[in-house]
Structure formats: C-alpha cells, structure tokens
Amino acid sequence: GAVVSQHPSRVICKSGTSVKIECRSLDFQATTMFWYRQFPKKSLMLMATSNEGSKATYEQGVEKDKFLINHASLTLSTLTVTSAHPEDSSFYICSASAGKGTEAFFGQGTRLTVV
Amino acid sequence: QKEVEQDPGPLSVPEGAIVSLNCTYSNSAFQYFMWYRQYSRKGPELLMYTYSSGNKEDGRFTAQVDKSSKYISLFIRDSQPSDSATYLCAMREQGGGADGLTFGKGTHLIIQP
C-alpha cells in the first residue's frame, strides 16, 4: 500500500503554545487529506477534510480557528493546534487519498500531550 | 446522524479459535465498509475493504456485510497471538477519497497463546 508519513510521532508542549503536525504522502499525490482525533478507548473522530489548494472542511463541533489545517501541496498537509490546552491532549491521525475511487491510507499518528 | 456501534471488549480467545467481530450502524447511505487493525496507538492498518452487501475473503480473514440488517462482521480463522490488537470497523457513503470515514470504537482482541 501507499505510504503516509506523519511527524512528529510524539510531542509534549506547554499550555498556551502552538504545535504543528505534518502529514506527507511519500509515493503518491494526495488530493484529499483527512485529520482524525482519537481519545483513549474511543473511536477515531473525523475533524476535517482538506483538498489541495482549498480551505479545509471542518466537522461540526471542531473549532477551525483552533485547529488550523493547511494543504498547500499534493504531498503535504499540516495541522496546527493553536493555544494548546491540556484537553487538547490526544492522538491525532491523518490519512491521505489520491482522489475519488482510491482508498485513503493512514499515517502513524501523533501523540500530543499538553502540560 | 452517523453512528456506528461496536463492542469495545476486551475479547479474549485461545490461539487457533475463530474470532467474530461485529458492528452495527444506523445510516443506510453507507456503502463502503472497512476493517482496520490498530496496534498500540499506531495508525490504523487496512485489513478488508468491501462494497455493499456480500462476503469477501482474504487469507484467514473474511468480511461480511448485510446492508438489510445494517450489520457487518469480520471473521478471523486460526487466530494467532500476533492478531492481538484493536480492530476498528469503518464505513463511508461515497467512494474512497470523497469523504472521511465513520469509525466504530474498536474491539480490543486478545489471543491467548
């Protein structure tokens, strides 16, 4: 299957700071990328869908000003958690797709801890 | 409302047993059904991908979809300790790449040696 690389795999930050997470498709062009969040023993919840060159579409209840998504190229999307708080601590996972008719592949996830 | 129900377990079975994992859903518009395996909070790994109702087999894994009952299953034959992981069902309305997935909570599976 295709390779999606997510970086960093683990990050600890202080409350009030911002953290950027990168998601890269290594061997294909990802026209669509998805960002999910997973709490312990909970399901993955879709946060937003981003298409290259367009503004991201956020799911209901997800603050777009807090979770900034940029998908400026066909191989890179970034999620920036702004003014992080301890309740933002979670496991964030991206997936990337080459477009309609193709399956999406997941990155390895980023464990964010806000202290 | 998109909702997928999945028993979180844990489900513990002896090595070699047949494992049955299930999900139910309420959105009749779901057409694409997937099963993922997730180890130790790593990214999900796609195991099976099924469109509409029917069965699909791949090695020791069989996926079944019954759209009339809104019920999907994953069977694992000859289970191995390495199969111990969390199994997530997922589904979407449109073909791959068009929209994000709706996941179940995942079932924690333990295969006892």
Side-chain angles (χ1 to χ4, degrees):
Chain A
V3 179
V4 176
S5 175
Q6 194 172 335
H7 178 80
S9 58
R10 187 181 291 261
V11 59
I12 301 173
C13 71
K14 290 185 177 180
S15 188
T17 62
S18 295
V19 174
K20 180 183 284 188
I21 302 169
E22 293 187 347
C23 181
R24 293 181 183 273
S25 56
L26 298 186
D27 52 2
F28 68 102
Q29 293 187 325
T31 57
T32 306
M33 286 190 173
F34 306 91
W35 287 94
Y36 295 85
R37 181 175 183 177
Q38 186 179 34
F39 290 105
K41 298 185 179 181
K42 297 290 185 182
S43 179
L44 280 81
M45 298 298 295
L46 180 65
M47 298 174 65
T49 302
S50 73
N51 292 295
E52 186 266 338
S54 302
K55 287 186 177 180
T57 302
Y58 289 81
E59 295 297 303
Q60 191 174 9
V62 178
E63 299 176 60
K64 62 180 181 180
D65 294 330
K66 180 166 187 63
F67 298 99
L68 301 179
I69 292 172
N70 183 283
H71 191 171
S73 79
L74 285 171
T75 59
L76 174 65
S77 177
T78 60
L79 168 68
T80 301
V81 183
T82 63
S83 187
H85 289 109
E87 57 264 32
D88 297 326
S89 299
S90 188
F91 193 58
Y92 293 86
I93 308 175
C94 71
S95 71
S97 167
K100 282 191 176 183
T102 66
E103 193 44 66
F105 296 91
F106 283 85
Q108 288 299 294
T110 297
R111 175 76 64 88
L112 170 64
T113 303
V114 184
V115 297
Chain B
Q1 182 182 2
K2 295 183 179 180
E3 222 173 40
V4 178
E5 299 291 335
Q6 185 177 9
D7 187 340
L11 174 63
S12 183
V13 301
E15 182 177 356
I18 296 175
V19 176
S20 173
L21 303 168
N22 312 291
C23 288
T24 59
Y25 62 95
S26 56
N27 183 356
S28 58
F30 285 136
Q31 297 187 75
Y32 297 85
F33 305 90
M34 284 134 280
W35 285 95
Y36 288 85
R37 179 172 60 196
Q38 188 177 26
Y39 290 114
S40 303
R41 303 303 299 276
K42 299 290 187 183
E45 172 194 4
L46 180 64
L47 286 176
M48 301 290 283
Y49 178 95
T50 310
Y51 170 70
S52 194
S53 288
N55 295 356
K56 186 173 184 178
E57 187 174 322
D58 184 1
R60 296 186 295 113
F61 299 91
T62 300
Q64 288 185 351
V65 175
D66 182 350
K67 288 191 69 180
S68 63
S69 302
K70 298 189 180 66
Y71 187 88
I72 69 171
S73 301
L74 177 71
F75 298 96
I76 307 174
R77 292 184 298 280
D78 188 23
S79 56
Q80 307 292 314
S82 58
D83 294 329
S84 299
T86 296
Y87 290 79
L88 299 147
C89 64
M91 45 201 78
R92 58 156 57 99
E93 295 179 12
Q94 301 183 48
D99 59 353
L101 294 167
T102 301
F103 281 88
K105 289 184 178 180
T107 298
H108 182 45
L109 175 65
I110 301 168
I111 306 298
Q112 304 163 343

